[in-house]
């Protein structure tokens, strides 16, 4: 009796195909969302670096935040979804960018990631910096 059950495998191809389709779909969608998250994380790091450089040169936190938001927009990230923080500590100027990235994966559900980028530069101490730039 059990020998006949093992020899009958009609319909097993459909079941195997359905299971493999779910697994391949999850892997493909996961790969797409993972690469998108890494792209957004890279843009956040670059924006934080450019904002910290702007903050170190001008010593203006508002200009640094504006630079970060423009870099995010240039990288294709919604600036409204980002939280930008600036901090001054001695001669160091720090900028932190945090972006909440939410996505939906089939068969798993909704997921949220906090993507962050941070950078730190020293305050420009050279008073001749702007004069040299204007003369050349």
């Amino acid at each position: 009796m059990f020998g006949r059950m093992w020899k009958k495998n009609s319909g097993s191809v459909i079941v195997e195909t359905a299971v493999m389709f779910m697994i391949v779909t999850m892997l493909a969608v996961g790969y797409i969302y993972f690469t998108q998250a890494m792209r957004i994380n890279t843009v956040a790091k670059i924006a934080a670096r450019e904002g910290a450089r702007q903050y170190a040169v001008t010593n203006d936190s508002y200009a640094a935040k504006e630079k970060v938001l423009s870099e995010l927009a240039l990288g294709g990230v919604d600036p409204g979804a980002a939280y930008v923080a600036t901090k001054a500590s001695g001669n160091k100027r720090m900028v932190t960018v945090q972006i909440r990235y939410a996505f939906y994966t089939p068969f798993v559900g909704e997921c949220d990631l906090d993507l962050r980028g941070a950078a730190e530069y020293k305050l420009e101490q050279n008073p001749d910096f702007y004069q040299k730039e204007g003369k050349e």
Side-chain angles (χ1 to χ4, degrees):
M1 181 170 161
F2 287 114
R4 284 188 220 159
M5 286 175 47
W6 290 113
K7 290 182 181 181
K8 282 188 169 184
N9 50 358
S10 61
S12 65
V13 173
I14 294 173
V15 172
E16 290 172 4
T17 303
V19 170
M20 287 306 297
F21 178 74
M22 289 186 343
I23 293 171
V24 169
T25 301
M26 284 177 50
L27 288 174
V29 170
Y31 177 75
I32 291 168
Y33 281 121
F34 179 76
T35 55
Q36 181 73 357
M38 291 302 102
R39 185 189 68 80
I40 292 172
N41 195 30
T42 302
V43 170
K45 289 178 182 179
I46 291 170
R49 188 177 331 125
E50 289 299 316
R53 189 187 65 76
Q54 179 78 19
Y55 194 16
V57 171
T58 63
N59 199 22
D60 182 11
S61 65
Y62 181 76
K65 287 181 181 180
E66 288 298 314
K67 181 69 173 178
V68 167
L69 295 178
S70 69
E71 288 292 324
L72 288 173
L74 187 65
V77 177
D78 180 23
Y83 171 73
V84 181
T86 57
K87 181 180 174 185
S89 176
N91 67 341
K92 295 179 182 177
R93 300 297 179 255
M94 296 166 269
V95 174
T96 304
V97 179
Q98 181 176 353
I99 301 169
R100 170 142 331 239
Y101 179 62
F103 58 94
Y104 177 80
T105 305
F107 313 114
V108 175
E110 293 185 23
C111 300
D112 290 333
L113 292 175
D114 283 329
L115 305 174
R116 296 180 186 170
E120 173 183 309
Y121 275 76
K122 288 187 178 179
L123 184 63
E124 181 65 44
Q125 298 287 333
N126 187 1
D128 298 328
F129 178 76
Y130 297 105
Q131 294 172 358
K132 289 179 184 176
E133 222 178 53
K135 289 180 183 178
E136 292 179 2

